[in-house]
Amino acid sequence: MKNEKIPYKIYLSEDELPRAWYNLRSDMKQKPAPLLNPGTGQPLSAEELSAVFCRELVEQELDDDTALIPIPTEIRDFYKMYRPSPLVRAYCLEQALDTPARIYYKFEGNNTSGSHKLNSAIAQAYYAKRQGLRGVTTETGAGQWGTALSMACAYLGLDCKVFMVKVSYEQKPFRREVMRTYGAQVTPSPSNTTQVGRKILAEFPDTTGSLGCAISEAVEAAAAEPGYRYVLGSVLNQVLLHQSVIGLEAKAALDKYGVKPDLIIGCAGGGSNLGGLIAPFMGEKLRGEQDYRILAVEPASCPSFTRGVFAYDFCDTGMICPLAKMYTLGSSFIPSANHAGGLRFHGMSPVLSQLYHDGFLEARAVEQRSVFAAAEQFARCEGILPAPESAHAIRAAIDEALACRETGEEKTILFGLTGTGYFDLVAYQKYNDGQMSDTIPTDEELARSIEALPKVPEI
Amino acid sequence: MKNEKIPYKIYLSEDELPRAWYNLRSDMKQKPAPLLNPGTGQPLSAEELSAVFCRELVEQELDDDTALIPIPTEIRDFYKMYRPSPLVRAYCLEQALDTPARIYYKFEGNNTSGSHKLNSAIAQAYYAKRQGLRGVTTETGAGQWGTALSMACAYLGLDCKVFMVKVSYEQKPFRREVMRTYGAQVTPSPSNTTQVGRKILAEFPDTTGSLGCAISEAVEAAAAEPGYRYVLGSVLNQVLLHQSVIGLEAKAALDKYGVKPDLIIGCAGGGSNLGGLIAPFMGEKLRGEQDYRILAVEPASCPSFTRGVFAYDFCDTGMICPLAKMYTLGSSFIPSANHAGGLRFHGMSPVLSQLYHDGFLEARAVEQRSVFAAAEQFARCEGILPAPESAHAIRAAIDEALACRETGEEKTILFGLTGTGYFDLVAYQKYNDGQMSDTIPTDEELARSIEALPKVPEI
């Protein structure tokens, strides 16, 4: 066995839990472009944003300069219930691959939300509580974010209203029941509890809903009821800030053993996990202190980095949200029913988009069946049943490790294992039965949805 | 906050992972009664047992004297993938209960089997592999044990054939798919792949199966195919031995901070978790070194300790397995459809039965709705969604902590959180919808099944 001194799992002590989040934007020379008001085409002010988001979260959203933002004690106390999360050396997988590469993964699935989403959910719920709000609203598709927010709200005694895409509400009843167990009010979307929901239901009575519609309902519900704000689990700068705790811990754990990764890999949907995992490493890279290869892995069915354009676009398919400058396939793009629900987003975090545009980040698209083959191989070696989203990163890590077997390079690979697949067994069943398919969009399809991008004057 | 110095989670380092299992029987003055051959009524010899079980496991089963049995390096390496497991201080629950009690729990759910079952699965699979066997067979009801065994066999490259009670196979497709993902062959029982299965199907074509039938099929399948043995996830002495790793770690973690529990609580089905958690504490109690209250919690719908008798009985409803002397409701007893599938066993570990008989152990039965109320309260405070089985221990821990609020006693309570409830959301949904019921057996029902106990001469 290589590196005998390095344990299977490197746990930090609670004292070593980061005391501040790291704001990657502070080290970016080229800052991410601001969110625009879709009506005026002008950057959104703090006042405008505060009508929808909590005040302190707006400050974090707009702060491109402060490097370290202290984590409040109450949030650190909550983090201690499931953090520091383990950094694991994948000894068994290395052996199975017969690779000279060293593979590490940062595992974020050891909490009931089953993913890293809890890192930002507790932060957003905490600031809502501190502002004296009664509750928060949000949307959820696959359900990880809704679960995480429900858990955070239950802990703080805050109301939580989740609009769950109707098809998920019906097909993923277990996610729904977890949220209800944590006290959340879960409404299938579209619903007749909002104007936009009633409008859509009148027009399309048989619709099974969409994330775009659920966002619209959640925003309306927050605006309609005093003491409520809307919260979002990815894409936003504030979310990447909170998720930096993943990368800070991973780096601290590796530093203990003097390990420098050559390559850092994360799956990318809206960018919350990838942005968090790479934050401190990318900071060193931006400051010219250390070089790392950093790789975003996305589904071939929803390839925003590898086949999208860098432009202003709506974050929601309903086209009511602010415009963000990002790699996008167009907000009208409907990806095929890829089972990695968390990666079915047409756009990408503006921070990561800017970094990719500036050449600090690579991207790769992988197909679904090869992703599940990697998930199965990983599960059998390492014990953990990964979420389909996480398995995108596993696929790339395995491919890179196999390349090392050819070249003999002893690369050190770090990837983010964002969560567990306990609620994704319909997908595993399809894979086990040889009935899994994947649909890659044609150039014509992408051209159509990209053609439909909003026309916004560059500022 | 009380005891500021004690972290939320006490993790041991990998070096502190126990190097030997502790055999509780070595400290019992009154040893558990031997297994009997149901045909002859005589104690089963090592030879007889070796036809069904692996050789080294038979030795462990029969060894009442050796205190410490070394854990082979290969098993310790596997343990390191998910152990040492955290010992958690339930600060948030204490606060919610406003109790002066200090509550700790040992959490065994941080692995894909979702429970402590993996501790014995890897040991049993390892000895099978070392004996040069090709594979193992087993039965599974709720699915935790089958999942754990599938994971262990995938890791070691051993065939794994699981007979899954047909009703579970159909109603818990997700558990089935996890096992298949780990490469296990999962057969709904009764099946036409065994003589006993075919016989039952001919007699009762519409049967949905039972654990007793699945055991019979698994035993027959192991005997029919060269290079196979049968393995079992609870009740047996060897299983309690392997599970002692839970208690050894818990005690080592508490010892680090000089904490002595006043009360140790575990749920009890076949006894694998409770026997493991309490092992080193009970050892001190048996040797007269330290006193602890030790409490077994069982469902009121299947109350083997609190309403059963201490007698020889079959371990399976099919009445083909050895006879064990234990607290039992009679092997013909059919418990109501309590959602804690892992606790629906008519009997109890012979080791724990002897200890209960001799007054070293208390027992309490709790009703299902109160169990789910405790589960929900725990989830909202501590984040973790508990398995219904584990929630029996939570119920008792909460009740004891509330009693401390009345008396002002600062008791230290340790309980076993055996696993997570991700595959139990049908039960949570019933609870959330107010549709959960429980059926307590009548005295007449119990008298009938106890009346039917086999007549065995006491030896």
Side-chain angles (χ1 to χ4, degrees):
Chain A
M1 193 174 290
K2 296 164 289 188
N3 291 9
E4 279 289 355
K5 284 178 302 185
I6 294 181
Y8 279 71
K9 300 189 301 294
I10 307 176
Y11 273 109
L12 302 176
S13 73
E14 285 175 14
D15 289 341
E16 293 171 300
L17 200 144
R19 294 179 183 275
W21 293 299
Y22 165 61
N23 183 0
L24 181 53
R25 286 165 282 156
S26 67
D27 281 310
M28 291 169 71
K29 288 204 180 67
Q30 192 67 42
K31 306 294 182 190
L35 296 173
L36 301 187
N37 181 321
T40 65
Q42 293 300 305
L44 282 160
S45 67
E47 286 81 346
E48 286 174 302
L49 286 166
S50 296
V52 178
F53 297 115
C54 305
R55 278 192 304 270
E56 293 210 49
L57 293 168
V58 169
E59 279 177 35
Q60 293 178 359
E61 189 65 27
L62 297 176
D63 186 342
D64 282 349
D65 303 311
T66 311
L68 295 173
I69 296 179
I71 305 174
T73 305
E74 294 83 351
I75 297 177
R76 285 187 87 239
D77 278 350
F78 186 88
Y79 277 171
K80 286 177 188 172
M81 289 166 59
Y82 68 102
R83 308 201 68 82
S85 71
L87 183 85
V88 187
R89 174 73 181 268
Y91 282 114
C92 178
L93 181 64
E94 290 174 19
Q95 204 171 11
L97 299 173
D98 189 24
T99 176
R102 296 171 170 82
I103 307 175
Y104 294 86
Y105 56 91
K106 179 71 170 166
F107 181 41
E108 292 291 315
N110 271 353
N111 69 75
T112 291
S113 83
S115 81
H116 65 291
K117 294 289 185 188
L118 202 49
N119 300 327
S120 186
I122 184 61
Q124 296 193 47
Y126 168 77
Y127 290 116
K129 181 84 177 177
R130 197 160 85 173
Q131 191 172 326
L133 298 175
R134 284 172 47 214
V136 290
T137 71
T138 200
E139 76 291 331
T140 202
Q144 288 99 326
W145 169 247
T147 306
L149 191 67
S150 304
M151 292 171 67
C153 288
Y155 179 81
L156 293 169
L158 207 60
D159 285 355
C160 181
K161 297 186 179 181
V162 180
F163 289 87
M164 187 171 188
V165 177
K166 191 186 270 177
V167 62
S168 295
Y169 184 91
E170 285 162 1
Q171 291 184 356
K172 292 198 157 187
F174 292 172
R175 279 278 185 205
R176 178 187 80 211
E177 290 308 320
V178 178
M179 291 185 256
R180 289 181 70 205
T181 300
Y182 284 91
Q185 180 189 316
V186 187
T187 306
S189 168
S191 73
N192 57 17
T193 68
T194 65
Q195 284 184 1
V196 63
R198 287 189 292 271
K199 183 160 169 278
I200 291 169
L201 281 173
E203 203 168 345
F204 309 102
D206 297 328
T207 179
T208 55
S210 73
L211 208 53
C213 170
I215 292 176
S216 307
E217 288 204 85
V219 171
E220 182 185 324
E225 199 153 357
Y228 277 77
R229 289 292 184 283
Y230 168 72
V231 296
L232 182 64
S234 191
V235 183
L236 297 176
N237 298 340
Q238 60 187 270
V239 176
L240 265 71
L241 174 72
H242 305 147
Q243 296 295 358
S244 69
V245 70
I246 303 172
L248 292 165
E249 284 183 10
K251 190 161 186 309
L254 289 174
D255 283 350
K256 276 199 171 184
Y257 292 88
V259 175
K260 289 278 177 203
D262 298 296
L263 172 60
I264 303 161
I265 300 172
C267 62
S272 68
N273 146 68
L274 181 68
L277 174 67
I278 68 174
F281 302 100
M282 182 62 88
E284 287 190 340
K285 186 169 176 170
L286 292 170
R287 296 192 302 269
E289 296 166 6
Q290 183 83 28
D291 198 23
Y292 302 99
R293 269 185 69 203
I294 298 180
L295 176 61
V297 190
E298 59 187 14
S301 58
C302 194
S304 42
F305 268 139
T306 52
R307 295 176 70 196
V309 293
F310 188 42
Y312 266 108
D313 193 9
F314 290 98
C315 290
D316 62 323
T317 44
M319 302 193 189
I320 62 159
C321 281
L323 297 168
K325 189 169 178 191
M326 57 186 176
Y327 277 84
T328 178
L329 301 167
S331 66
S332 62
F333 175 73
I334 308 283
S336 75
N338 188 300
H339 288 291
L343 305 183
R344 293 180 76 233
F345 183 62
H346 65 277
M348 182 55 66
S349 141
V351 169
L352 296 180
S353 293
Q354 189 65 49
L355 290 166
Y356 182 64
H357 183 70
D358 294 340
F360 293 104
L361 187 66
E362 302 167 37
R364 179 183 301 173
V366 291
E367 291 187 44
Q368 187 166 233
R369 270 177 301 233
S370 74
V371 165
F372 275 82
E376 185 186 274
Q377 181 168 25
F378 180 83
R380 293 183 183 186
C381 282
E382 297 292 319
I384 298 167
L385 186 80
E389 291 85 354
S390 324
H392 285 69
I394 298 173
R395 175 73 272 161
I398 289 177
D399 290 342
E400 292 287 331
L402 289 174
C404 288
R405 183 168 71 186
E406 299 307 311
T407 63
E409 287 174 287
E410 296 189 6
K411 278 187 192 166
T412 297
I413 299 168
L414 166 66
F415 74 87
L417 188 71
T418 53
T420 50
Y422 305 127
F423 293 93
D424 301 288
L425 284 155
V426 170
Y428 274 98
Q429 180 170 1
K430 285 206 172 138
Y431 178 73
N432 291 336
D433 290 342
Q435 290 171 353
M436 176 163 280
S437 62
D438 202 359
T439 309
I440 319 291
T442 63
D443 290 340
E444 291 68 33
E445 277 176 87
L446 290 184
R448 265 199 306 278
S449 60
I450 288 169
E451 179 74 21
L453 281 174
K455 304 290 175 276
V456 181
E458 286 283 329
I459 54 163
Chain B
M1 191 176 290
K2 296 164 288 190
N3 291 9
E4 280 286 353
K5 281 177 303 183
I6 294 182
Y8 278 72
K9 300 189 300 295
I10 307 176
Y11 274 109
L12 302 176
S13 74
E14 285 174 14
D15 289 342
E16 293 170 301
L17 201 144
R19 292 177 185 277
W21 293 300
Y22 165 61
N23 183 1
L24 181 54
R25 285 164 283 157
S26 67
D27 282 309
M28 290 170 70
K29 288 205 182 64
Q30 192 67 43
K31 307 292 183 191
L35 296 173
L36 300 187
N37 181 322
T40 66
Q42 291 304 304
L44 281 161
S45 67
E47 286 80 347
E48 286 174 302
L49 286 167
S50 295
V52 178
F53 298 114
C54 304
R55 281 192 303 269
E56 293 210 47
L57 292 168
V58 169
E59 279 177 34
Q60 293 178 359
E61 190 65 29
L62 298 176
D63 186 343
D64 283 348
D65 303 310
T66 312
L68 294 173
I69 295 180
I71 305 175
T73 305
E74 293 83 351
I75 297 177
R76 285 188 86 237
D77 278 350
F78 186 89
Y79 277 171
K80 286 177 186 171
M81 289 167 58
Y82 67 102
R83 309 202 68 83
S85 71
L87 183 86
V88 186
R89 174 74 183 268
Y91 282 114
C92 179
L93 182 64
E94 290 174 19
Q95 204 172 10
L97 299 173
D98 190 23
T99 175
R102 294 171 172 82
I103 307 175
Y104 294 86
Y105 57 91
K106 179 72 169 166
F107 180 42
E108 292 291 314
N110 272 351
N111 68 75
T112 291
S113 84
S115 82
H116 64 291
K117 293 287 184 187
L118 203 49
N119 300 328
S120 186
I122 185 61
Q124 297 193 48
Y126 168 76
Y127 290 115
K129 180 83 178 174
R130 198 160 83 173
Q131 191 171 327
L133 298 175
R134 283 172 48 214
V136 291
T137 70
T138 199
E139 75 292 330
T140 201
Q144 287 100 324
W145 169 247
T147 306
L149 191 66
S150 304
M151 291 172 65
C153 288
Y155 179 81
L156 293 169
L158 208 60
D159 285 354
C160 182
K161 296 186 180 184
V162 181
F163 289 87
M164 187 172 189
V165 177
K166 191 186 269 178
V167 62
S168 295
Y169 184 91
E170 285 162 2
Q171 291 183 357
K172 292 198 159 189
F174 292 171
R175 279 277 185 206
R176 179 187 80 208
E177 290 308 320
V178 177
M179 290 185 258
R180 289 181 70 206
T181 299
Y182 284 91
Q185 180 188 317
V186 188
T187 305
S189 168
S191 73
N192 57 17
T193 68
T194 64
Q195 285 185 1
V196 64
R198 285 189 293 271
K199 181 159 172 278
I200 291 170
L201 281 173
E203 202 166 347
F204 309 102
D206 296 329
T207 179
T208 55
S210 72
L211 207 53
C213 168
I215 292 176
S216 308
E217 288 205 84
V219 171
E220 182 186 322
E225 198 151 359
Y228 277 77
R229 289 294 185 283
Y230 168 72
V231 297
L232 182 65
S234 192
V235 183
L236 297 175
N237 298 341
Q238 61 188 267
V239 177
L240 266 71
L241 174 71
H242 305 148
Q243 296 294 357
S244 70
V245 70
I246 304 173
L248 291 166
E249 283 184 11
K251 189 161 186 309
L254 290 174
D255 283 349
K256 276 199 171 186
Y257 292 89
V259 175
K260 289 277 175 203
D262 299 296
L263 172 61
I264 302 162
I265 301 172
C267 61
S272 68
N273 147 68
L274 181 69
L277 174 68
I278 68 175
F281 302 100
M282 182 62 88
E284 287 190 341
K285 186 169 177 170
L286 291 170
R287 296 191 302 270
E289 297 166 7
Q290 182 83 28
D291 198 22
Y292 303 99
R293 269 186 68 206
I294 298 180
L295 176 62
V297 189
E298 60 186 14
S301 58
C302 193
S304 42
F305 268 140
T306 51
R307 296 176 67 196
V309 293
F310 189 42
Y312 266 107
D313 193 10
F314 290 98
C315 290
D316 62 324
T317 44
M319 301 190 188
I320 63 159
C321 281
L323 297 168
K325 189 170 178 189
M326 57 186 177
Y327 277 85
T328 179
L329 301 166
S331 66
S332 62
F333 175 73
I334 308 282
S336 76
N338 188 299
H339 287 290
L343 306 183
R344 294 180 74 234
F345 183 63
H346 65 276
M348 182 58 63
S349 141
V351 170
L352 295 180
S353 293
Q354 189 66 50
L355 290 167
Y356 182 65
H357 183 71
D358 294 341
F360 292 104
L361 186 66
E362 304 168 35
R364 179 184 301 173
V366 292
E367 290 188 45
Q368 187 167 231
R369 268 178 302 235
S370 74
V371 166
F372 275 82
E376 185 186 276
Q377 181 169 26
F378 180 82
R380 293 184 183 187
C381 282
E382 296 292 319
I384 298 165
L385 186 79
E389 291 86 355
S390 324
H392 285 69
I394 298 174
R395 175 74 272 160
I398 288 177
D399 290 342
E400 292 287 331
L402 289 174
C404 288
R405 183 168 72 186
E406 300 307 310
T407 62
E409 286 173 287
E410 296 189 7
K411 276 189 195 167
T412 296
I413 299 168
L414 166 66
F415 73 87
L417 188 71
T418 54
T420 51
Y422 304 128
F423 294 93
D424 300 289
L425 283 154
V426 169
Y428 274 98
Q429 179 171 1
K430 285 206 173 139
Y431 178 74
N432 291 335
D433 290 341
Q435 290 171 354
M436 178 165 277
S437 63
D438 203 359
T439 309
I440 318 292
T442 63
D443 290 341
E444 290 69 31
E445 279 176 86
L446 289 185
R448 265 200 306 278
S449 59
I450 288 168
E451 180 75 21
L453 281 174
K455 305 289 174 277
V456 180
E458 285 284 330
I459 55 166

